[in-house]
Amino acid sequence: MTEDDEMTPDGLDPADELYTLLIAVAPSPAERIRLAERLDGIAPLLLVADLGELRRLIPGPHQAAAAPTMGGDRALVLDSVRSRARCQGREVELTRLELDLLTCLTTAPIRVWSYAELHRAVWHEEGGEQRADVQSLVKRLRRKLHELGTGTTIDAVRGVGLRLSERRQPRVGRS
């Protein structure tokens, strides 16, 4: 380092400092513009249209190749790169919508998600509740989770929405 190089007060190189990055997912250009205007100057901002775009820009540990699942392990493992779910050595292919819904539910497995929240997260649309769309998708996902032999299921909470439940072991893994 030379005398002309700037240092922070604590003697660190500014390039080595950690900083906050805000990431916002907004499907419409109008929403992204509105967010950029509201969050201007708060922190660096990354705006993406959907989770797929974010996954392509910032590969995370959930996109790395997964270690083989142990035979006795009943954890549900999502492989977002290959769009598959695994459990106990079995594997099923998931559609983009199924993967997005399951990913949403696994981010907070105990939380009850409203139909409107799930519809926005999966279809990236605002507006009225599209309950039938979500219910149809959940029906297909339940069948696939059952095929895997996992204890993970999607439960309806009457009058509220849906949540992910673990019947055998309270653990949901990610690859």
Side-chain angles (χ1 to χ4, degrees):
M1 218 173 232
T2 67
E3 287 180 27
D4 296 332
D5 290 336
E6 289 186 35
M7 299 287 284
T8 61
D10 55 4
L12 296 175
D13 182 358
D16 293 335
E17 280 190 46
L18 295 177
Y19 61 92
T20 302
L21 171 66
L22 294 175
I23 300 173
V25 179
S28 76
E31 286 179 47
R32 288 192 294 276
I33 290 169
R34 185 178 55 81
L35 279 170
E37 289 170 348
R38 285 188 174 190
L39 300 173
D40 186 34
I42 293 176
L45 178 64
L46 173 62
L47 291 166
V48 294
D50 57 37
L51 291 176
E53 182 179 4
L54 181 60
R55 287 182 193 118
R56 287 188 298 275
L57 291 171
I58 304 176
H62 64 281
Q63 292 180 326
T69 305
M70 301 301 288
D73 189 3
R74 294 187 175 185
L76 173 64
V77 179
L78 299 180
D79 183 344
S80 58
V81 172
R82 296 175 51 230
S83 196
R84 294 184 179 272
R86 280 192 308 278
C87 182
Q88 299 180 0
R90 295 184 190 148
E91 190 172 86
V92 293
E93 189 170 333
L94 301 172
T95 66
R96 182 194 62 80
L97 294 175
E98 291 167 343
L99 179 64
D100 286 352
L101 178 64
L102 203 48
T103 299
C104 184
L105 290 170
T106 59
T107 59
I110 298 171
R111 177 181 172 204
V112 178
W113 296 79
S114 73
Y115 288 95
E117 289 173 318
L118 291 170
H119 195 272
R120 275 192 304 274
V122 175
W123 282 271
H124 311 292
E125 296 174 2
E126 291 292 329
E129 280 188 37
Q130 300 296 325
R131 199 177 180 116
D133 292 341
V134 175
Q135 288 172 330
S136 175
L137 189 58
V138 166
K139 182 178 179 182
R140 292 193 310 266
L141 260 176
R142 283 179 176 149
R143 188 171 34 245
K144 289 183 178 186
L145 291 172
H146 181 72
E147 286 174 28
L148 283 175
T150 179
T152 303
T153 188
I154 301 167
D155 290 334
V157 178
R158 188 179 182 113
V160 182
L162 300 166
R163 77 168 158 226
L164 200 63
S165 296
E166 183 66 41
R167 297 275 187 246
R168 297 181 190 145
Q169 280 184 304
R171 182 178 147 226
V172 177
R174 287 219 171 136
S175 68

